[in-house]
Amino acid sequence: MKKFRKVLDGLTTSSPGGTIGTPSCGSAAGTPTAAPTPKEIDVQETLISENFQLCKTVRHGFPYQPTALAFDPVQKILAIGSRSGGVRILGRPGVDCYCQHESGAAVLQLQFLINEGALVTACADDTLHLWNLRQRRPAVLHSLKFNRERITFCHLPFQSKWLYVGTERGNTHIVNIESFILSGYVIMWNKAIELSTKTHPGPVVHLSDSPKDEGKLLVGFESGTIVQWDLRAKKADFRIYYDEAIHSVSWHHEGKTFMCSHSDGSLTLWNLRNTSKPFQVTFPHGKIQKDGRKESCKPILKVEYKTSRSSEPFVIFSGGLSYDKAGRRPTLTIMHGKAITVLEMDHPIVEFMVLCETPYNNEVQDPYAVVVLLEKDLIVVDLTQSNFPVFENPYPMDVHESPVTCTAYFADCPPDIIPILYSIGAKHKKTGYSQKEWPVSGGSWTLGSHTYPEIIITGHADGSVKFWDASAFTLQMLYKLKTSKVFEKPKAGEGRAAELVEEDPFAVQMVSWCPQSRIFCVVGISAHIILYRFSKYDANTQIVSLEVRLQCDSEDIITPSENENNPCFAEPGSHSPQPHHQHPLSPGSRTPEGAKDSIPCLKVKDRVVRVPPGYQSELVIQLLWVDGEPPQQITSLDINSAYGLLAFGNLNGLAVVDYLQKTVLLCISTLDLYGATDPYQRLTRSPRRNRQSTSEFCMRGLSNFYSDSKKRIRTSYQSLTELTDNQQSTDMDRSKSPTSVHYPTSLHNDPRVLPEPVASLRASHCSPVFYLLDNGHASRRAMLQQLHGVTMYSHDEHHTTTTPYCWTERESRENSFSRSRSSSVSSIDRDTKEAVTTLQFGESYGRKNDVLPGPCLWVGTSLGVVLLIPMSIPIDHEERMEDSVTVGPSGAVQMLKGSVLRFAFLDCSGALIQGPYEVWRDQNAPEDSDRPRRRKLVHFSPSSSQDACGEGHLTVVCSERQAKVFLMPSQSCLFVHNITESSFVLRADVVSVCNSVCLACFCANGHVMMLSLPSLRPLMDVNYLPLTDMRIARTFYFTNGGQALYLSSPTEIQRITYTQEMCDNLQEMLGELFTPIETPEAQNRGFLKGFFGGNTQTFDREELFGEAAAGKASRSLAQHIPGQGGVEGMKVAAGGAVGELARARIALDERGQRLGELEERTALMMTSAETFSKHAHELMLKCKDKKWYQF
């Protein structure tokens, strides 16, 4: 017996090793067990805890649920606020910053301090925040919380440090931007309106200073009242009372007229010389009816009135259409002279802003573009051309063009793949954009030194797949693939397919990509797989279709006692999926007995089609209906280009396809994979009831990918929440989650994997997960089905009396599993099947006595069982294309707690073994007689680096609760680590980081964990992101180089890093938001123009609003909150002197605040004492001359 030695920890073994039937693996983290190894294994682990730190890097995509828009005309940067409290700041490509308010309150309004590198945000919790943009990661400098009034509108004049704040009560307050302290100067609503007015004017909806005189403030109230307030005289110059509610106001640059938009769809133009009535009233979209009246119109929500030197003024507004036509698209109207242009938008308009050449409001504006913020898009219209084209958006704002259903992330790709994809994708780009440069060009960004090729792949509900260049913290679309082009368009109401998926039948469930061979596989919601090859040439091709019957009849499940002496792989019998499918199916074949029902969900094009350069479909595999039951969802997929094989599995079993010969090699039930090694007793069930429930849940199996509101999937990105929350798991291979929740224990799909601790904690832990998933499901069973991504067979709970499984006490003791008969969901456990949850091709040892490694397929199931299938593949090219590949399961290898999520292979020195692959060759390239086409394969043999370490290799297996490392070919467990007891792992990946490898895990309780390999020693455990949405679980993806991503909202991709090195280098990788630019000088108005037109009057706001003149505002009105992160790098210096100084400063601020309160209380006491002294003195004077008897 050899010792297993761990160099770093000096751990030695003490307990005997074992396999699936012996309880060899301990439960403690990183517990080693003795293993019969040919030589002593020596692994030098280099990763330590200091190598890891978790932080967000960059966010891509369109801001989810946008609410506000702002633009700095000097710095040329754009800010977008959202309902969740996020702020996206955009500049030139590469300059993209995301900020988040801690409160999570919706952003109501944004105001740039123009050319000052600062931004003011007003939030729905009535708090103002000042953000410092002079650092790469902006931070809040000050906050001001209003306690008694609701903020409705803010205005900050150019080059002013005083912010006007309008409230719901109709009052206007003034805030000093530098100190973020409220001024004592207040414009009260009852002072602004006439005393004779009997009604409240409503909330403040507009504030602006007059272009002619900064001392005049125009205040607009919702009811239609407009007041010009003289700030010096503290009185109203004029008051306008209009019948219609006001939505916005815009000045002419000369300050003599202004325009208002109203709720009746009208625009009114007012002249300051006569404010008794509007100078002009227009209904831009109101037609005159037969009776002479104007037809009613929708409100004009905003209007911009901009002048131009070279042409007529621009009047740009949103809304105002007539009510006569239902379902009309939102519009932006541009009135330029007598010409009226109506731009129809695809989505509702949230906000728009006209971009002008000058930041001064008293100069000719010369607008050159208008930024339009839609609910689901951002567009910029070029105003300098008569046809008003839009600019090509350089940001990836169309990630959500169709709802994202799965993701994949590949770091350190082959360097030639990105240019090739870009060159092909560029041929299909849209045209007709403006030829001018993108106007939002602020900030600076340089390509960092720590860059390498990265690609993100997104699958979508409409069947499209997008390849994105994600290098250097940017995101640019490279190539778009439409999988729906492989199929005929389904006709509404035709065939059984129509019963399954009425909309989006091509939705992408998972993807598998080999960057080296450029082979790409897509799994669709209609139980189909499409294999693509890449070519730089177009071609005429006939798509080959394979139809597979991977369906099990429940009445064929029998007890092992009836065939316990059968060999591992007997002749095709009742265990195998229908029909007897050990022989390959010819393309398009159907069995005679099931001709009526042996049909796929979709119809593949059966004619020769011309395909453009790029990814070209070569093979389509479809699962068939069997006996009136639809096919089960595909839950796992793997492809290997060196072997020429593709494997996939679902709830019923496993299939292996030779895509070179276009044949099915293996189609077998999960039960048959065990053969004679299956230790469990399987009892028969009621076939009739099973078939009924199977039909019911299988029908829901495809349709439950979509929510009850599936008709909104195409038209609203908000439906992605329902899509991802209510669909079946769309990413079993990539998200590696049948996501078997360990506190709702039924997700194990079998009673033999019910852990004892979970049974006792079931009552306390079931509710939170079911609350997350319960969005209108009919039953808890349906919720489990949604999360698991497979359809579960179920009986009527009141009629189920049989016990399907029982197993030995030793097995129960090893895995700490037990039955809990008191569970309210135990009937679900009794009635579920074993799904194939993960697959992995690789060079390994198929049996314990093998001397040399060979091609193998590793299979992981939802019951935590690991199975190994050795294969024999001809080596010669001609033989490979003619001879068949032999496949034969060898039985169970190991067993873990929870569904198996990930396999990986290490050599005995701890290095990651890459899978073999075929070097890419273009099959459509012109023939070269000198260089015949032959497959060039690259193999990474496990025995290639074993000179000093012994033969064999290490296999890493991770399940939802446990990770194990065991040695091949002996199959001896070396290390085991229980990852979590109270939660479950959603995603697990073996990643290369810091010239080593580790196991990365993301759990449902929000923890991100890193474990060393092979010892499974914990390196990092951070409580990062609680699982609040199943979208996160299905899109979380770790990759090499210390990066990961997930869909933070239906429209945004969040990238994170988990390495200290990248966190340290993050500052140089991000773009600079602020660049020093000299503020443009105001134009000289000239003597004559100033003499006749009146010079713009300026005044010192400090004299009016400062504490000396206006006094202090009431402390109860608003509370000042110091910012928590105003200095860049505060977190880095938190433990040092800088951190101590910062904390001391905060403490001094708090002490000063308390001293101020004490001063106020002292002043009150002094006033009270003076009053008492005065009264006492008066009483003394009154009584001093009286005699005692006069009292």
Side-chain angles (χ1 to χ4, degrees):
M1 182 74 69
K2 297 285 185 180
K3 280 188 178 180
F4 176 84
R5 181 163 60 87
K6 174 75 173 58
V7 173
L8 273 181
D9 295 340
L11 299 173
T12 56
T13 59
S14 58
S15 58
T19 56
I20 185 172
T22 58
S24 62
C25 298
S27 60
T31 302
T33 57
T37 58
K39 291 184 180 181
E40 194 173 76
I41 298 174
D42 187 358
V43 178
Q44 179 70 41
E45 294 186 0
T46 59
L47 292 178
I48 57 176
S49 298
E50 285 71 20
N51 294 130
F52 297 92
Q53 181 183 344
L54 195 69
C55 68
K56 295 180 180 179
T57 54
V58 68
R59 182 173 290 206
H60 304 296
F62 181 75
Y64 184 53
Q65 295 179 330
T67 55
L69 181 69
F71 181 74
D72 187 327
V74 179
Q75 288 290 321
K76 295 191 181 299
I77 56 177
L78 187 76
I80 301 174
S82 68
R83 191 175 300 175
S84 60
V87 178
R88 283 281 292 281
I89 305 172
L90 304 170
R92 67 175 67 248
V95 179
D96 188 341
C97 180
Y98 175 77
C99 314
Q100 176 66 46
H101 292 91
E102 290 185 2
S103 65
V107 178
L108 298 180
Q109 197 173 352
L110 299 167
Q111 287 278 323
F112 274 107
L113 277 66
I114 296 176
N115 205 27
E116 296 290 337
L119 175 71
V120 175
T121 59
C123 296
D125 60 351
D126 306 308
T127 306
L128 298 173
H129 303 275
L130 178 64
W131 292 82
N132 179 16
L133 306 184
R134 291 178 179 250
Q135 54 194 52
R136 293 178 188 260
R137 308 202 79 166
V140 174
L141 291 174
H142 301 282
S143 297
L144 188 66
K145 168 73 174 174
F146 280 75
N147 296 323
R148 298 186 305 198
E149 297 198 51
R150 306 295 306 274
I151 299 173
T152 56
F153 195 86
C154 297
H155 171 63
L156 180 65
F158 178 45
Q159 295 181 326
S160 169
K161 69 174 185 178
W162 297 95
L163 175 72
Y164 301 112
V165 181
T167 67
E168 194 175 37
R169 293 186 179 180
N171 302 324
T172 303
H173 300 276
I174 301 170
V175 178
N176 187 317
I177 290 298
E178 293 178 351
S179 62
F180 240 56
I181 295 176
L182 208 59
S183 168
Y185 193 110
V186 183
I187 305 174
M188 305 298 291
W189 68 270
N190 54 353
K191 302 288 186 180
I193 64 174
E194 291 180 346
L195 297 176
S196 59
T197 305
K198 297 181 180 180
T199 58
H200 191 280
V204 175
V205 296
H206 176 80
L207 291 169
S208 63
D209 51 336
S210 169
K212 191 175 180 180
D213 185 355
E214 294 178 351
K216 311 284 185 167
L217 183 68
L218 196 69
V219 184
F221 298 93
E222 188 180 55
S223 63
T225 301
I226 302 174
V227 177
Q228 180 168 288
W229 184 262
D230 190 330
L231 295 170
R232 303 183 193 87
K234 300 183 180 180
K235 65 175 184 178
D237 284 348
F238 62 82
R239 300 179 177 91
I240 295 173
Y241 299 97
Y242 196 67
D243 296 336
E244 296 295 334
I246 291 176
H247 286 280
S248 68
V249 181
S250 182
W251 280 98
H252 187 279
H253 80 275
E254 293 180 352
K256 298 178 181 178
T257 58
F258 60 86
M259 184 174 290
C260 301
S261 67
H262 299 277
S263 58
D264 62 346
S266 65
L267 296 173
T268 57
L269 186 64
W270 299 84
N271 195 313
L272 298 190
R273 294 181 179 179
N274 181 15
T275 57
S276 60
K277 63 178 182 178
F279 175 74
Q280 183 181 352
V281 180
T282 57
F283 287 83
H285 296 297
K287 300 176 182 178
I288 300 177
Q289 298 176 343
K290 293 181 179 180
D291 56 2
R293 294 187 303 172
K294 292 275 186 181
E295 60 182 349
S296 58
C297 297
K298 299 176 182 177
I300 295 179
L301 301 178
K302 184 178 180 179
V303 63
E304 292 263 19
Y305 186 21
K306 301 298 180 183
T307 53
S308 176
R309 298 179 188 277
S310 57
S311 62
E312 296 288 331
F314 284 87
V315 177
I316 304 172
F317 61 90
S318 61
L321 294 178
S322 60
Y323 284 103
D324 59 345
K325 293 182 180 178
R328 295 185 68 173
R329 289 164 42 162
T331 60
L332 182 79
T333 304
I334 303 175
M335 298 173 62
H336 188 210
K338 295 183 179 180
I340 299 180
T341 304
V342 179
L343 304 179
E344 289 191 339
M345 304 295 168
D346 293 331
H347 313 289
I349 298 175
V350 175
E351 174 72 286
F352 75 89
M353 182 167 290
V354 179
L355 309 187
C356 302
E357 296 289 351
T358 175
Y360 297 93
N361 65 344
N362 58 355
E363 296 179 356
V364 179
Q365 300 298 290
D366 282 330
Y368 60 90
V370 54
V371 180
V372 187
L373 178 63
L374 308 176
E375 276 191 2
K376 307 168 194 176
D377 202 0
L378 176 73
I379 65 171
V380 181
V381 180
D382 187 354
L383 295 179
T384 61
Q385 300 183 42
S386 58
N387 59 339
F388 303 125
V390 298
F391 290 89
E392 185 176 5
N393 197 329
Y395 314 124
M397 293 293 184
D398 57 347
V399 173
H400 63 288
E401 184 179 18
S402 175
V404 178
T405 53
C406 69
T407 61
Y409 191 7
F410 299 88
D412 207 6
C413 300
D416 59 336
I417 191 69
I418 290 179
I420 290 178
L421 287 173
Y422 181 80
S423 62
I424 292 178
K427 299 176 182 178
H428 304 285
K429 280 194 171 183
K430 297 179 181 178
T431 57
Y433 293 110
S434 172
Q435 299 301 313
K436 295 193 174 183
E437 291 187 3
W438 179 253
V440 186
S441 57
S444 61
W445 178 77
T446 56
L447 195 64
S449 57
H450 302 270
T451 59
Y452 43 82
E454 300 173 73
I455 287 181
I456 293 174
I457 300 177
T458 56
H460 300 266
D462 63 352
S464 62
V465 177
K466 294 181 181 179
F467 291 76
W468 306 84
D469 177 10
S471 308
F473 286 166
T474 61
L475 195 71
Q476 194 72 31
M477 195 171 83
L478 296 171
Y479 176 72
K480 183 178 180 180
L481 175 68
K482 295 182 179 179
T483 64
S484 59
K485 291 186 176 181
V486 174
F487 303 99
E488 301 285 357
K489 291 183 178 179
K491 297 179 181 179
E494 181 180 287
R496 301 302 295 269
E499 300 177 21
L500 288 176
V501 183
E502 294 180 4
E503 297 188 18
D504 299 320
F506 313 110
V508 178
Q509 200 171 353
M510 68 182 79
V511 296
S512 179
W513 186 47
C514 177
Q516 289 79 16
S517 64
R518 301 182 189 174
I519 288 181
F520 185 59
C521 265
V522 177
V523 176
I525 189 62
S526 299
H528 65 270
I529 301 172
I530 310 174
L531 186 143
Y532 291 91
R533 284 186 182 269
F534 187 83
S535 176
K536 295 188 290 185
Y537 305 91
D538 56 2
N540 296 319
T541 181
Q542 173 78 44
I543 303 171
V544 179
S545 176
L546 280 180
E547 298 177 351
V548 180
R549 294 167 60 88
L550 191 58
Q551 196 86 350
C552 253
D553 263 358
S554 54
E555 61 261 45
D556 291 335
I557 298 177
I558 59 176
T559 62
S561 58
E562 298 178 28
N563 68 337
E564 58 187 0
N565 297 322
N566 286 356
C568 173
F569 213 33
E571 70 276 6
S574 58
H575 289 175
S576 298
Q578 299 177 358
H580 43 85
H581 220 344
Q582 299 304 318
H583 62 277
L585 269 180
S586 59
S589 66
R590 296 176 182 174
T591 56
E593 70 274 11
K596 185 174 68 174
D597 283 325
S598 294
I599 59 171
C601 296
L602 299 171
K603 183 180 180 182
V604 180
K605 291 180 179 178
D606 55 1
R607 60 185 182 276
V608 175
V609 293
R610 186 165 186 83
V611 290
Y615 274 103
Q616 300 168 352
S617 56
E618 178 177 306
L619 175 66
V620 178
I621 304 169
Q622 291 183 283
L623 298 185
L624 300 176
W625 285 66
V626 176
D627 294 335
E629 295 178 359
Q632 293 284 340
Q633 293 277 299
I634 296 171
T635 57
S636 55
L637 171 75
D638 193 38
I639 185 169
N640 189 280
S641 56
Y643 302 157
L645 300 180
L646 180 151
F648 63 93
N650 65 3
L651 181 68
N652 290 325
L654 168 70
V656 180
V657 174
D658 184 342
Y659 67 78
L660 296 178
Q661 299 185 21
K662 309 296 188 296
T663 57
V664 180
L665 300 176
L666 181 69
C667 184
I668 187 172
S669 69
T670 315
L671 175 60
D672 275 338
L673 288 172
Y674 291 100
T677 64
D678 185 10
Y680 312 121
Q681 181 182 0
R682 320 252 181 172
L683 301 181
T684 56
R685 309 178 190 172
S686 167
R688 188 169 189 81
R689 280 183 307 204
N690 262 348
R691 179 167 298 180
Q692 290 172 351
S693 61
T694 301
S695 178
E696 173 192 352
F697 281 99
C698 286
M699 287 291 289
R700 296 169 61 183
L702 285 177
S703 61
N704 269 350
F705 185 79
Y706 308 89
S707 67
D708 293 336
S709 57
K710 60 187 175 184
K711 298 195 175 183
R712 295 178 295 163
I713 288 176
R714 291 180 180 170
T715 59
S716 173
Y717 66 95
Q718 294 177 349
S719 65
L720 182 60
T721 303
E722 292 96 15
L723 179 72
T724 54
D725 282 345
N726 297 342
Q727 71 180 17
Q728 294 198 343
S729 178
T730 63
D731 206 2
M732 283 307 184
D733 186 34
R734 293 298 175 188
S735 287
K736 284 306 172 286
S737 184
T739 53
S740 172
V741 190
H742 278 223
Y743 30 90
T745 55
S746 60
L747 296 185
H748 288 296
N749 273 353
D750 201 276
R752 38 181 191 185
V753 289
L754 279 177
E756 284 179 348
V758 172
S760 61
L761 295 174
R762 182 176 293 121
S764 60
H765 288 294
C766 274
S767 299
V769 170
F770 285 131
Y771 174 77
L772 293 174
L773 303 176
D774 190 4
N775 289 321
H777 293 278
S779 65
R780 188 172 287 184
R781 179 188 295 110
M783 290 184 281
L784 300 177
Q785 178 182 345
Q786 299 300 334
L787 183 60
H788 209 295
V790 291
T791 305
M792 299 184 291
Y793 288 67
S794 62
H795 296 255
D796 184 342
E797 296 181 9
H798 299 289
H799 296 86
T800 303
T801 56
T802 59
T803 304
Y805 302 106
C806 62
W807 56 311
T808 65
E809 182 180 353
R810 184 175 66 177
E811 291 154 354
S812 178
R813 204 168 43 240
E814 181 207 353
N815 292 282
S816 299
F817 297 157
S818 67
R819 285 290 307 273
S820 174
R821 301 183 183 276
S822 61
S823 170
S824 60
V825 292
S826 59
S827 61
I828 304 174
D829 291 324
R830 292 198 300 270
D831 298 329
T832 57
K833 281 190 173 184
E834 185 174 12
V836 176
T837 56
T838 184
L839 296 164
Q840 181 73 52
F841 286 104
E843 297 284 313
S844 187
Y845 301 86
R847 293 170 179 83
K848 289 185 179 182
N849 55 357
D850 284 355
V851 178
L852 295 175
C856 292
L857 174 63
W858 289 78
V859 181
T861 74
S862 57
L863 303 184
V865 178
V866 177
L867 301 131
L868 191 55
I869 302 178
M871 299 174 293
S872 176
I873 303 176
I875 299 176
D876 183 74
H877 176 73
E878 285 76 14
E879 292 180 357
R880 176 65 185 88
M881 301 306 295
E882 295 176 2
D883 297 348
S884 60
V885 176
T886 58
V887 180
S890 63
V893 175
Q894 279 285 340
M895 192 167 189
L896 291 85
K897 299 178 183 179
S899 300
V900 181
L901 303 180
R902 178 66 62 200
F903 294 115
F905 311 112
L906 311 176
D907 62 24
C908 290
S909 64
L912 185 65
I913 301 175
Q914 301 290 341
Y917 63 87
E918 176 191 1
V919 178
W920 174 73
R921 58 191 176 94
D922 198 332
Q923 293 186 328
N924 296 333
E927 293 283 352
D928 188 351
S929 56
D930 297 334
R931 300 178 63 184
R933 294 182 184 174
R934 298 184 65 86
R935 301 178 70 222
K936 183 180 178 182
L937 308 182
V938 178
H939 287 268
F940 300 90
S941 173
S943 59
S944 60
S945 60
Q946 308 300 325
D947 298 337
C949 303
E951 298 177 354
H953 70 87
L954 303 177
T955 300
V956 182
V957 185
C958 184
S959 72
E960 290 177 329
R961 292 186 59 194
Q962 202 174 49
K964 285 185 179 183
V965 176
F966 53 95
L967 181 67
M968 298 297 291
S970 65
Q971 301 180 6
S972 304
C973 181
L974 302 181
F975 280 102
V976 60
H977 177 71
N978 287 338
I979 299 173
T980 177
E981 291 291 343
S982 59
S983 185
F984 60 100
V985 178
L986 291 167
R987 177 80 193 184
D989 289 290
V990 174
V991 292
S992 299
V993 57
C994 301
N995 299 318
S996 187
V997 291
C998 66
L999 176 63
C1001 301
F1002 172 57
C1003 297
N1005 58 7
H1007 284 249
V1008 175
M1009 289 178 281
M1010 301 291 153
L1011 304 175
S1012 68
L1013 290 176
S1015 67
L1016 299 177
R1017 176 170 45 90
L1019 297 171
M1020 184 184 77
D1021 187 352
V1022 177
N1023 188 4
Y1024 169 67
L1025 182 72
L1027 180 63
T1028 56
D1029 198 321
M1030 285 308 300
R1031 175 186 61 251
I1032 298 172
R1034 295 188 179 110
T1035 57
F1036 204 101
Y1037 203 105
F1038 290 104
T1039 191
N1040 297 329
Q1043 295 199 72
L1045 65 79
Y1046 60 92
L1047 223 64
S1048 57
S1049 73
T1051 63
E1052 295 170 288
I1053 295 174
Q1054 178 68 58
R1055 292 165 69 178
I1056 63 174
T1057 181
Y1058 48 86
T1059 63
Q1060 182 67 55
E1061 181 184 8
M1062 186 165 286
C1063 289
D1064 294 340
N1065 297 322
L1066 187 59
Q1067 295 297 324
E1068 68 175 81
M1069 296 181 184
L1070 298 175
E1072 290 272 6
L1073 292 173
F1074 179 80
T1075 53
I1077 300 175
E1078 190 173 339
T1079 303
E1081 295 183 0
Q1083 295 177 1
N1084 187 3
R1085 294 171 59 84
F1087 173 75
L1088 292 176
K1089 192 169 185 179
F1091 183 79
F1092 292 105
N1095 282 314
T1096 301
Q1097 300 182 29
T1098 60
F1099 75 108
D1100 187 359
R1101 293 184 176 89
E1102 183 69 33
E1103 294 181 0
L1104 287 176
F1105 307 144
E1107 185 176 334
K1112 290 184 178 180
S1114 172
R1115 285 185 176 269
S1116 61
L1117 181 61
Q1119 176 187 2
H1120 176 256
I1121 305 170
Q1124 298 297 319
V1127 181
E1128 189 173 6
M1130 176 73 85
K1131 292 182 179 179
V1132 178
V1138 177
E1140 294 296 333
L1141 286 173
R1143 285 192 287 271
R1145 182 175 179 180
I1146 293 172
L1148 283 174
D1149 289 342
E1150 294 175 352
R1151 183 170 178 266
Q1153 186 175 350
R1154 289 195 294 269
L1155 286 175
E1157 295 173 356
L1158 179 62
E1159 183 182 352
E1160 282 192 17
R1161 289 197 296 269
T1162 305
L1164 288 173
M1165 290 176 65
M1166 288 179 63
T1167 305
S1168 178
E1170 288 177 0
T1171 304
F1172 177 76
S1173 174
K1174 181 180 178 181
H1175 286 302
H1177 184 68
E1178 291 175 353
L1179 184 61
M1180 183 269 294
L1181 292 176
K1182 182 178 179 181
C1183 302
K1184 71 175 182 175
D1185 295 330
K1186 290 186 179 182
K1187 303 296 182 181
W1188 63 270
Y1189 53 82
Q1190 292 178 324
F1191 287 98

